[in-house]
Amino acid sequence: MKIDISKYVTSVASFALAGGLAVNAASAETLTVYTAVEAEDLAKYAAAFNAHHPDIEIKWVRDSTGIVTAKLLAEKDNPQADVVWGLAGTSLILLKGEGMLEPYAPNGVKELDPKFVDSEVPPSWVGMDAWVASVCVNIPEAEAAGLPMPASWKDLTKPVYKGQVIMPNPASSGTGFLDVSSWLQMFGEEGGWAYMDGLHENIARYTHSGSKPCKLAAAGEIPIGISFAFRGAKSKAAGAPLEIVVPSEGVGWDMEAAAIVKGTDAMDAAKKLMDFVVSKEANEMYNSGYAVVAYPGVAKPVEHFPEGLVDAMIDNDFDFAAKNRKAILAEWQKRYDSKSEAK
């Protein structure tokens, strides 16, 4: 199915004003930055960078991971982005394989945990933080519907949950894709698709946002949302009556990562942004929402993150996920796309 990507990707206003800091529009250099970072965090990211570089304006183009990835691929021969700041690591591995990234070793990159850095020298991408799958359960809604608290992924295939579960579409959501790719790794190819066949029977609909299933569960619109722990913790901190479940089989995860897009005509500014991306200051900022960040020793406990989450993270094969992405998504859409919500 051919998708008209342009109508889905929204150019978000450039958050150049924060805390009295203003970028002089007449003299500022503009960086077009593609991102899948939660929209409410973009102003914070831009303000922190502009505190060091007030002469560089960030123009955000923000959407869900799958949409941003597809847009970048569609623009391969005529790139419009200068930098990607906050996109799934598996997406950046895919873009690297297409020859679309400009290798650069940011100042300070050697301080990062090596698993968050491309192994090539110089690296084509660097990681920021990790987001981890989890299940958000609205406690009063589940009790009212007579639903037991699930403890495993396979629990969610039981008939009692029919029509009570929402999850993200992996073609548009990075969270959805990490779920699907992790199930194929945990259960094997045949077992993974068999699992998803069973889960599909209980899915009310597939969303095009990884955070939306948990937001809907938090609002009481669905008892169970397959999402990620950061969103669940954030909703719980805001007072939502959620239980954040870590399934017993283990949980998939991906990292947010950043890279320079090959062909940018703003290379000096792009390098300055990448230097900031790997800094301790930036990692402290990432830790406000993510329990796992790239800079060792920075991470502090995040309120309401479920116990045992980090230990439950699977040994994710990112190369498998990136190399098989197209085939996995084609098979998923053939089997399950009939329940996807309208775009």
Side-chain angles (χ1 to χ4, degrees):
M1 180 178 67
K2 188 174 181 180
I3 301 173
D4 181 5
I5 298 300
S6 62
K7 69 180 181 179
Y8 301 127
V9 179
T10 303
S11 180
V12 180
S14 175
F15 295 97
L17 300 178
L21 174 68
V23 175
N24 187 330
S27 61
E29 182 171 12
T30 299
L31 279 177
T32 299
V33 179
Y34 283 17
T35 188
V37 168
E38 291 288 290
E40 60 262 34
D41 292 330
L42 297 182
K44 175 178 67 177
Y45 279 36
F49 173 67
N50 284 144
H52 298 279
H53 299 287
D55 58 334
I56 301 173
E57 179 182 3
I58 292 179
K59 177 186 175 185
W60 296 108
V61 176
R62 192 263 166 206
D63 213 302
S64 59
T65 298
I67 301 299
V68 175
T69 304
K71 180 172 173 62
L72 285 160
L73 289 169
E75 295 172 354
K76 177 180 178 180
D77 296 328
N78 184 28
Q80 302 298 303
D82 299 303
V83 175
V84 177
W85 185 12
L87 191 65
T90 47
S91 292
L92 290 180
I93 292 171
L94 174 63
L95 298 176
K96 177 188 174 183
E98 294 291 325
M100 296 172 60
L101 303 181
E102 183 68 42
Y104 173 62
N107 293 329
V109 70
K110 291 183 179 180
E111 302 298 325
L112 301 186
D113 183 329
K115 71 172 175 284
F116 282 88
V117 182
D118 178 26
S119 60
E120 297 284 340
V121 179
S124 291
W125 54 266
V126 294
M128 301 155 51
D129 48 57
W131 87 97
V132 189
S134 65
V135 180
C136 296
V137 181
N138 185 301
I139 298 170
E141 292 296 324
E143 290 176 349
L147 305 179
M149 186 64 65
S152 67
W153 290 119
K154 290 188 176 180
D155 278 350
L156 295 178
T157 65
K158 294 177 179 178
V160 69
Y161 297 106
K162 189 174 182 64
Q164 306 286 8
V165 184
I166 286 179
M167 75 162 280
N169 180 323
S172 49
S173 162
T175 304
F177 184 70
L178 74 83
D179 286 327
V180 171
S181 64
S182 69
W183 293 331
L184 291 171
Q185 291 178 62
M186 286 189 288
F187 304 137
E189 183 173 358
E190 184 176 343
W193 290 116
Y195 169 72
M196 285 181 268
D197 286 345
L199 180 64
H200 181 69
E201 293 299 313
N202 293 341
I203 294 290
R205 70 181 188 274
Y206 299 100
T207 69
H208 295 292
S209 160
S211 60
K212 190 172 181 179
C214 195
K215 289 179 178 178
L216 292 172
E221 296 184 35
I222 192 78
I224 300 172
I226 297 173
S227 188
F228 55 99
F230 161 58
R231 183 67 259 174
K234 201 165 187 177
S235 295
K236 194 168 182 178
L242 293 178
E243 178 75 19
I244 306 172
V245 175
V246 181
S248 59
E249 300 96 334
V251 288
W253 63 283
D254 204 337
M255 69 180 80
E256 288 190 314
I260 298 173
V261 178
K262 183 170 286 187
T264 177
D265 57 4
M267 183 60 73
D268 288 344
K271 288 181 176 179
K272 289 176 182 177
L273 178 54
M274 290 297 292
D275 291 345
F276 178 76
V277 164
V278 305
S279 68
K280 185 176 182 180
E281 177 186 350
N283 276 261
E284 288 171 345
M285 180 173 63
Y286 309 148
N287 186 226
S288 66
Y290 293 85
V292 181
V293 298
Y295 202 111
V298 165
K300 298 178 181 178
V302 174
E303 185 182 16
H304 298 304
F305 259 72
E307 292 184 9
L309 184 69
V310 173
D311 291 338
M313 292 165 62
I314 67 169
D315 185 11
N316 201 356
D317 187 340
F318 290 107
D319 285 336
F320 163 83
K323 291 176 181 177
N324 293 285
R325 178 185 175 86
K326 185 175 180 180
I328 290 170
L329 293 179
E331 182 67 19
W332 188 93
Q333 289 178 312
K334 181 175 71 175
R335 289 174 180 249
Y336 314 124
D337 204 31
S338 61
K339 285 189 179 181
S340 291
E341 64 184 9
K343 291 183 179 179

